[in-house]
Each structure stands twice: as C-alpha cells, then as structure tokens.
Amino acid sequence: MPSAGAFTAVTARRSFDQRSEPEHAQPASTASHGSTSGPTNNTDRGKRDWPPSVRSYVQRSFAEENILPNVGWKEMETKLKQVISHSVAAATLTSEDWDNLPLPQMMIQEERRRGPSPPVSDSLLISTLRETNEAKSKKRKSSDLDLADEATPRIVPWNQPKSRNVFESRITYPENRSRNGLSPEKGSSKFTQVLDGRKRRFENTTPGSSSVRPWRSSASQEPSSKQAEGPIVGRCQDLEKKYFRLTSAPNPDTVRPLHILEKTLDHLKRKWKQERNYFYICDQFKSLRQDLTVQRIKTGFTVNAYEIHARIALEKGDLGEYNQCQTQLRALYAQNLGGHPTEFVAYRILYFLHTSNRIDMNDVLADLTPAEKQDKAVKHALDTRSALALGDYHRFFQLYLDTPNMGAYLMDMFVARERLAALCAICRAYKPHVKLRFITEELGFESDDESARFICDRGAQQHLEERDTGVFLLTGKALNFFDPALTAASARPDSKAYV
C-alpha cells in the first residue's frame, strides 16, 4: 500500500497535465512538439544576431560626445527604432552603409530645420545628411545648438511608431543622465527655462529689421545666416565706449574698426598717464579687447593692447584682469605676432610662485627654450624660484631688490609670506636676541621703522627691546608669534577670488 500511494501521486500529476490541455485547446501531438520547439523559437526571436555595423551605429548614437542638448533622449530613441525598423522592413540591414548613415539626432535636426516645407524624398534627406556628416567633425561644437521651434515632423518611413524597442536591453545610459531625469526634452522645466531665456534675448529686434526670429531658417534667410558666420567689420567711430557683456550677435554699428581702435589705444595711454583712473581705464580696455575679439583681429596691435592692459592690471594688483590678458597672450605669442613673450613668461613664473602652483610651474619650466632661459627677466624668475626651493632667504631678498620690468609688483604679493618664513628661521638660528638693523638688511626693508612695524603687526611688539647699542628682537620668545602667522600666510591663495 505505501508503494501504491507513491505511484498514485505520480499519476495524479499526470492527470493534472491532461486536465490543463483542453484549456489550451491544443492537440497532444502539437503540444509535445511545441514543448520542445516553442522555447527555442522565442529565444531566437529575443536574441537576434544584429550586424556589427548596426551595433556600432547604436553605440555612436548614444555616445556622450554626439548628444545634442536640443534633442530629447526619448525622441532620439524613437527615431533610432524607426530607422532600424525601416531598414529591416526594406531588407537593407546588411547592405546599408551604417558607418556614414546620419545619426538619429542629426535627422531630427534636419527635420526641424526644414519645418513644414514640401516633403522631400527619404533618399535625398539621408544623402544630404550623410554629406553634412562627412564634411563636419564628429565632435559636437557650440554652433550645433539649434533653437528652432518644434514643428510638425514630416511623415517618413522611420516616423511610423513601433510598440517594442528591441535595443532597449542593450543600451547603457550614463550615470549622470537618466531617461526620465535630466534628459533635455520638453518635459524638463529647467532646460525649457534656459531655452526660453535664450529665445527672449533675440525677440527684441532693432527698428527697421525683419520680425522673423533669427533661429527660424528659410530660403530667404540663408544668405544673411551665412554672412553672420564670418567676422564682422565695425562701423563705429567713437574713441571711447563702455564695456557691455554681449548677450546677442554683435552689431557692427557699435563695434569700432581697426583704425579707430589704434587711435583709441593712444588715447587711453595718454588718459592713464594724466588721470590714473584705473576703473575707467580697465573698462575702456575691456571694451577695446571685445571689439578686437568679435572682429577676429589677431595682429601685432592685438598683442600690444593686451600687454599694456596686463601691465596696468599688475600695477594695480588686479590679478583677475591680468590672468585674462596673460591667457590670451599665450595664444597670441604662439602665432609669432611679436610682442614681449619672455617678459610675460617671467611674470608667469613669479605668479605661480605667489599661488604655490607647482603643477603649472612644472609645465612652464618644461616649455622653456635655452634662449628664453638666458633672458634677463626669465633668468631672474628662475633664480627666485631656486632660492625659495632651497630656503635661501638671503638670496631671495637680494633678487627682490633687483627685479627687472614689473616683476616687483608680483613679488610684492608674496614677499610678506617669505619675510615671515625668514623671521622663523632667524629666531631658530639666532638666540637669545638679534639686532633689528640686521633684520632690516636681510629681509629687504627700507628702514628700521618699517621692519619694526612689520614685527609689531604680527603681535610681537613686546619682544622688541631698546638698548644703548640699538633695538633688539628677543628671538626665543618671538618665534611663538611668527609661526602661526606663517601658517596663515602660507595658505594657498584662491586664484578664482581674483577673477
């Protein structure tokens, strides 16, 4: 009986399978065949063997460098499904040139640009986009941002919706971009606000101009758009002009041409010598530099204008404007347009000593040529760097008192820090006291009063003792005041604070 009970349980499971067969309304023979072949067919359909060119096309479509900010993630995904589905339906999956086929985001841009124009054949649209892709670099540029309004898309084969995305399981989304989170589509309020703000800046057209918005493309506007791509030529005749940050395309009527800018530079140099009003001069020089930039003028005059502004900024301690001029000068010097490149290389080395920027300092030292190292200003800057690296404060202050050009303005920014470091070294080496006159001569002070004021400002005035032979500093006790002051002064300055 126990064995019969065991066989009865097996029989019960078989009878349960037989009861389920009528529900499927499937013959036994068919069910037996389907039980072996069905799963295999489903697996084959789910894991289709796509050609490598198609896989590469999908990867390029979702690559970070090919993402366009004005094309939504879902919109691009839908277009990709339509393109591949159309190729599968036309049996051109293996014969299609996927390497040169326009990416989905490019197709969407082309459809927006054409707008509600008469329908164009699909082959003509793809060939046009393919030629554009071959002519342009694959790297996205800022000019790729298209602010066109959404228009009714043309009905093309890949616009037919499909219910299932066969590539969805193979797509890897970046960590910082989610399909429903930060994708730049119409549902994203933050991205929409940015686009709306940009559009509104162009809505205020000048009197007498066309009311058509500049981001609407049409056949009648093609010549003007091509003309706007090139450098403009200014028509303004004013010598002085206030600086305003550009929020739209520059107007030639408010831009001064080169011959006017040359007169402006002479005028500003005379004004600076007479009035010494830095805020006015800085504003005028920024306006002059802006006019040079929008007209793409890169000549010896451009180098001269940036050098003069950089020297004035150094004299007034404005490191923000100096850094901007120095950055542009490096690019201009690379084009061999003249100027004084070795002078500003020396300034650059001294600036990195001030900011304690060792990484950029190593880059500058690696780029120096043997001829530049023999230049007086560059050699002085290198000797200064070497003295600081060795802790030779005696040599450092000798170099400080004999700085060529305008390097002393840069050294003034970190000489107090080096004086504190030297005082700490003197307090450890000379005990129990040292004469104040010795400190004045060693640390490059102009007088004993100046050195005494420097010590008093650090809270060590009670350790200055006046005797018959002179004033002495009690080094053993004063060290406790100089160490915290040196720690505070050695904090790396924030270069962004100057901008």
Side-chain angles (χ1 to χ4, degrees):
M1 290 301 294
S3 60
F7 283 108
T8 302
V10 173
T11 303
R13 286 198 295 271
R14 289 180 179 176
S15 62
F16 177 78
D17 292 341
Q18 292 175 0
R19 285 195 301 270
S20 63
E21 290 178 1
E23 295 177 2
H24 295 284
Q26 182 176 341
S29 60
T30 306
S32 62
H33 290 294
S35 62
T36 59
S37 60
T40 305
N41 293 339
N42 293 337
T43 304
D44 294 340
R45 286 195 299 267
K47 297 183 178 179
R48 182 165 186 168
D49 188 13
W50 298 98
S53 57
V54 179
R55 296 172 182 267
S56 176
Y57 180 77
V58 175
Q59 293 174 357
R60 285 189 290 110
S61 300
F62 291 95
E64 188 67 26
E65 62 269 16
N66 294 328
I67 297 298
L68 299 182
N70 65 318
V71 179
W73 192 273
K74 289 185 178 180
E75 189 178 7
M76 185 173 63
E77 184 182 87
T78 303
K79 176 62 67 176
L80 179 63
K81 290 192 296 183
Q82 295 166 355
V83 171
I84 297 179
S85 301
H86 173 65
S87 180
V88 171
T92 59
L93 195 63
T94 57
S95 60
E96 180 67 52
D97 186 6
W98 294 98
D99 293 334
N100 295 323
L101 187 69
L103 298 178
Q105 49 266 45
M106 300 300 296
M107 296 182 182
I108 295 172
Q109 265 197 345
E110 181 65 16
E111 292 175 3
R112 292 178 180 176
R113 189 185 68 80
R114 295 180 181 275
S117 57
V120 183
S121 64
D122 302 335
S123 59
L124 178 60
L125 176 61
I126 294 179
S127 62
T128 303
L129 287 173
R130 184 177 289 131
E131 292 174 359
T132 305
N133 275 5
E134 293 175 354
K136 292 184 178 180
S137 170
K138 291 183 179 180
K139 189 172 181 181
R140 178 164 53 91
K141 301 178 181 179
S142 59
S143 58
D144 294 336
L145 182 60
D146 186 8
L147 300 179
D149 292 335
E150 293 187 359
T152 304
R154 296 187 305 106
I155 303 301
V156 290
W158 52 74
N159 270 344
Q160 299 175 0
K162 292 290 182 179
S163 59
R164 184 170 176 264
N165 180 13
V166 297
F167 292 97
E168 187 164 359
S169 61
R170 306 183 185 183
I171 299 173
T172 302
Y173 296 97
E175 295 179 358
N176 296 332
R177 179 191 292 268
S178 62
R179 295 179 59 191
N180 299 324
L182 299 178
S183 57
E185 49 186 323
K186 191 172 181 180
S188 177
S189 60
K190 187 172 183 180
F191 187 79
T192 305
Q193 291 176 0
V194 174
L195 286 183
D196 291 342
R198 292 177 180 173
K199 290 179 181 179
R200 283 194 295 269
R201 288 204 296 264
F202 290 95
E203 287 180 354
N204 297 327
T205 55
T206 57
S209 61
S210 175
S211 60
V212 180
R213 297 179 182 179
W215 57 82
R216 292 191 184 275
S217 58
S218 61
S220 60
Q221 287 183 308
E222 288 181 359
S224 60
S225 61
K226 291 181 179 179
Q227 182 180 1
E229 292 177 358
I232 66 171
V233 178
R235 296 190 291 264
C236 181
Q237 301 298 313
D238 298 334
L239 290 181
E240 299 181 9
K241 187 185 75 171
K242 288 187 177 181
Y243 170 75
F244 293 101
R245 187 180 298 274
L246 289 177
T247 57
S248 62
N251 184 0
D253 293 332
T254 61
V255 177
R256 294 163 292 186
L258 179 59
H259 68 279
I260 298 297
L261 292 175
E262 292 174 349
K263 297 179 181 178
T264 299
L265 182 60
D266 295 335
H267 173 70
L268 294 180
K269 288 192 291 186
R270 289 193 301 269
K271 276 261 190 178
W272 173 245
K273 292 179 181 179
Q274 296 170 2
E275 302 178 4
R276 312 291 291 183
N277 185 348
Y278 177 69
F279 295 101
Y280 165 79
I281 287 295
C282 181
D283 182 78
Q284 293 298 313
F285 264 100
K286 291 174 69 174
S287 176
L288 185 148
R289 286 162 42 193
Q290 185 183 69
D291 288 349
L292 289 172
T293 301
V294 298
Q295 297 179 92
R296 303 182 189 177
I297 298 175
K298 295 182 179 180
T299 61
F301 172 77
T302 308
V303 176
N304 188 27
Y306 275 95
E307 286 182 345
I308 294 175
H309 192 189
R311 294 189 186 102
I312 296 176
L314 270 184
E315 184 177 350
K316 290 299 180 180
D318 188 353
L319 289 184
E321 291 299 327
Y322 163 77
N323 280 332
Q324 293 182 24
C325 295
Q326 176 75 285
T327 302
Q328 293 298 324
L329 284 171
R330 289 187 65 195
L332 294 171
Y333 289 147
Q335 302 179 24
N336 298 322
L337 298 176
H340 304 82
T342 54
E343 175 189 351
F344 281 86
V345 167
Y347 295 157
R348 190 169 178 80
I349 294 174
L350 294 176
Y351 173 76
F352 290 144
L353 291 177
H354 166 54
T355 58
S356 302
N357 192 339
R358 297 181 180 180
I359 296 177
D360 290 338
M361 174 68 79
N362 292 336
D363 293 339
V364 173
L365 298 180
D367 293 339
L368 287 177
T369 63
E372 290 175 337
K373 292 179 181 180
Q374 298 302 319
D375 181 79
K376 179 181 178 181
V378 176
K379 190 174 185 304
H380 173 273
L382 293 175
D383 291 343
T384 303
R385 187 202 68 85
S386 178
L388 289 180
L390 296 173
D392 188 354
Y393 62 85
H394 178 79
R395 175 61 175 158
F396 171 79
F397 287 105
Q398 284 183 336
L399 293 169
Y400 169 68
L401 297 176
D402 188 26
T403 306
N405 300 324
M406 302 183 67
Y409 289 103
L410 278 169
M411 296 187 70
D412 283 340
M413 297 178 184
F414 61 93
V415 70
R417 178 187 68 196
E418 301 309 323
R419 280 173 173 163
L420 284 171
L423 278 174
C424 290
I426 290 174
C427 288
R428 293 186 178 96
Y430 297 86
K431 291 185 178 180
H433 52 74
V434 66
K435 206 168 185 178
L436 184 63
R437 185 62 191 171
F438 173 78
I439 296 176
T440 302
E441 295 174 353
E442 282 295 313
L443 304 189
F445 290 108
E446 294 182 358
S447 63
D448 290 348
D449 291 339
E450 185 182 358
S451 59
R453 192 180 308 111
F454 182 84
I455 294 173
C456 293
D457 290 342
R458 273 68 190 176
Q461 62 272 11
Q462 66 270 27
H463 301 300
L464 285 174
E465 185 175 299
E466 187 174 358
R467 302 178 182 177
D468 296 338
T469 56
V471 180
F472 289 83
L473 174 66
L474 304 181
T475 55
K477 299 178 180 179
L479 180 61
N480 297 329
F481 293 88
F482 296 143
D483 263 339
L486 176 61
T487 302
S490 298
R492 183 174 177 177
D494 186 5
S495 59
K496 295 181 180 179
Y498 298 111
V499 179

